[in-house]
Amino acid sequence: GVKASENAAFDTAKVYFKAGHDVLGSTGWEGDYSTMLDLCSDGANACFLTGDFVSMNDLIDEVLSKDIDTKEKYRVSEIKVKSLLTVGKANEAINAALDFRRQLGLPAPQKKPASKFTIIREYIRVKKLLKDKTAENIANLPELDDERYEMGQRMNEHLATSVYLVEPTMYPLIIFQSVTTSLKHGLSPTSSPAFARLGLLLCGPFGKPHEGCEMAKAAELILEKPGMRSAASYTAFITQSYCYHWVSPLQNTMAPLLKGYQVGLEIGDTDRACYCLISRGYHLFYIGRGLDSIQNELEASIQVVTQLKQDIARLRIIILLTTAKKLRGIDVEAGDKILDSMLATAASNRDSFLSAAVNSMKLEVFVFYQEWKEAIELVRKAGNVRQFLTALFTSVRYTFLEALTYLKAAQSSSGWKKRQMKKCAHKAMQLIRGWAKNGNVNVVHCLYILEAELAVLQGKNEKTKQSFNAAIATSSRNGFL
């Protein structure tokens, strides 16, 4: 079974582990305790990776019911958290991960929104630990040799993914805790995504993209150390989806994301492999790949994630696939029903990320078809979408569409309403100007388009023409045409 797992033949491995479990039978725990623990733990993992959640849960419950050391329950506890996240039960995944950290005797934040004061306080503490460390300095830290801390780090890794979806204000606290552990106690495979996630925060909410990309570089250097490959797919997903697009052309993420997907499948990290696949699909959409080509690729991706039983990944791909088809005029009414149903599900489950993801795609359609009334209604009702799409290029794209929508509303309004719409557009444009000033080449053409529309509003025809021409030139230069 172990040999089959090492070769990613998890269906075969599952059969061997079950056979071994059946041979030892109900008395296996008394007669050969160590082997029974391995059969249950490895068997649960093989079941998880092949989508056999019923058998997986039986094996997990069997181990958790035993009066054994907490550390020996780690493997099945981790699989439990991963499986809950895979089927869209992020809140339950958070509870399970926090509970296990507490059982290990490690600190765990309370499951509640974190205040800005708390986030800034913890950030300052991490900054003091980092001092002036370069990416190379971080990658040369000693290795972590404490099993308990390593288990806690792995749980934080899953916690970060879970809270990002449903309680984003907790996200920085989990990241700061993981980075602090690495700086104080040493590096492990979890350190690479931990520093990548710190890069995410610096690039996005903290507005320091060059510092953020230095942390992304540290994450990649850590991967080069022996024994760190297990984090390769996850690190690629974070650095390419959340960090590098702030300072480099978006099209440069295509090859690394594809490689992250392939590596994830090779090492059995199927959920992170699917993350890379999703991110690549969205980036293809944003750089202007033909809609027919995108639809074909997404339909193939749907088959992959369905086979791998990756429910969340499938949902994210369906959002984009539905949008691509609507933009092509295919199954428009059915697409509307799908997206509206997702919004209803997001509201009932308090899934802010899903709601933001759907609204960002609905806005794409409204803008494409110049349905400005529907677009402005969505923008006013959707709230702070950027908060729930932290550092993703989707948040950048949404900000551009938001500003464009407000400018179009101002162009068709008068008096107080015109001034109000123009003010809202200016606020979004200021964000984009700040990103461009910090080196984001992917927003330069967007800014020119917005300046052209602002010139239309002001009646400056020559400025309008110049700005649109500049938008075309920069779009081509940066890979959007």
Side-chain angles (χ1 to χ4, degrees), residues 412-464:
S412 60
S413 303
S414 60
W416 175 86
K417 185 177 181 181
K418 181 177 183 177
R419 292 192 297 272
Q420 185 69 16
M421 294 297 99
K422 186 177 176 181
K423 181 180 178 181
C424 292
H426 178 74
K427 184 177 180 181
M429 288 177 69
Q430 282 297 96
L431 283 175
I432 297 174
R433 287 193 182 101
W435 296 334
K437 186 177 180 180
N438 279 331
N440 191 331
V441 299
N442 299 300
V443 300
V444 178
H445 68 290
C446 297
L447 193 54
Y448 279 127
I449 292 171
L450 295 175
E451 288 176 347
E453 293 293 349
L454 181 60
V456 171
L457 182 62
Q458 297 168 337
K460 299 178 179 179
N461 295 335
E462 187 60 29
K463 172 67 173 177
T464 299

Side-chain angles (χ1 to χ4, degrees), residues 145 197 215 237 240 286 334 400 470:
D145 60 1
R197 288 193 295 267
M215 293 300 101
F237 166 68
Q240 302 301 324
Y286 293 131
F400 162 63

Side-chain angles (χ1 to χ4, degrees), residues 153-371:
Q153 287 283 75
R154 289 296 300 271
M155 282 299 168
N156 265 356
E157 193 172 273
H158 303 306
L159 267 172
T161 303
S162 303
V163 300
Y164 184 90
L165 299 175
V166 295
E167 192 54 75
T169 59
M170 286 181 65
Y171 188 69
L173 304 185
I174 303 299
I175 294 172
F176 296 150
Q177 190 176 72
S178 297
V179 169
T180 297
T181 299
S182 292
L183 292 170
K184 286 185 174 180
H185 301 284
L187 302 177
S188 69
T190 58
S191 298
S192 180
F195 281 101
R197 288 193 295 267
L198 179 58
L200 176 163
L201 286 181
L202 291 169
C203 286
F206 287 88
K208 300 180 178 181
H210 296 285
E211 291 183 28
C213 288
E214 183 71 8
M215 293 300 101
K217 180 182 176 183
E220 292 173 339
L221 290 174
I222 292 170
L223 280 181
E224 296 176 6
K225 299 170 72 72
M228 301 295 183
R229 189 169 183 262
S230 62
S233 184
Y234 197 19
T235 301
F237 166 68
I238 300 170
T239 58
Q240 302 301 324
S241 303
Y242 298 91
C243 300
Y244 289 132
H245 72 81
W246 291 98
V247 296
S248 302
L250 187 65
Q251 63 177 347
N252 290 358
T253 66
M254 297 299 125
L257 284 169
L258 180 59
K259 183 178 179 181
Y261 165 68
Q262 293 166 340
V263 170
L265 293 183
E266 290 172 8
I267 63 178
D269 193 0
T270 54
D271 47 348
R272 275 62 177 268
C274 290
Y275 293 171
C276 289
L277 192 64
I278 298 167
S279 189
R280 184 174 184 275
Y282 276 83
H283 287 191
L284 285 171
F285 176 77
Y286 293 131
I287 65 172
R289 172 74 70 84
L291 289 173
D292 55 343
S293 175
I294 290 175
Q295 181 177 334
N296 291 336
E297 184 157 332
L298 292 176
E299 287 172 345
S301 298
I302 285 280
Q303 295 180 18
V304 172
V305 298
T306 300
Q307 184 178 358
L308 294 172
K309 302 294 179 71
Q310 295 287 325
D311 293 350
I312 288 184
R314 185 173 181 273
L315 195 64
R316 301 290 182 262
I317 294 174
I318 288 174
I319 295 171
L320 182 56
L321 176 59
T322 301
T323 301
K325 292 171 73 173
K326 280 170 63 64
L327 292 173
R328 297 186 69 200
I330 299 173
D331 298 334
V332 174
E333 291 185 8
D336 288 336
K337 291 179 181 179
I338 289 171
L339 296 180
D340 289 342
S341 174
M342 287 185 180
L343 283 177
T345 300
S348 63
N349 294 339
R350 296 183 178 180
D351 189 338
S352 301
F353 181 89
L354 177 59
S355 178
V358 173
N359 279 323
S360 68
M361 289 295 105
K362 285 175 71 72
L363 186 57
E364 291 278 355
V365 176
F366 290 148
V367 169
F368 180 83
Y369 286 112
Q370 300 184 50
E371 297 172 346

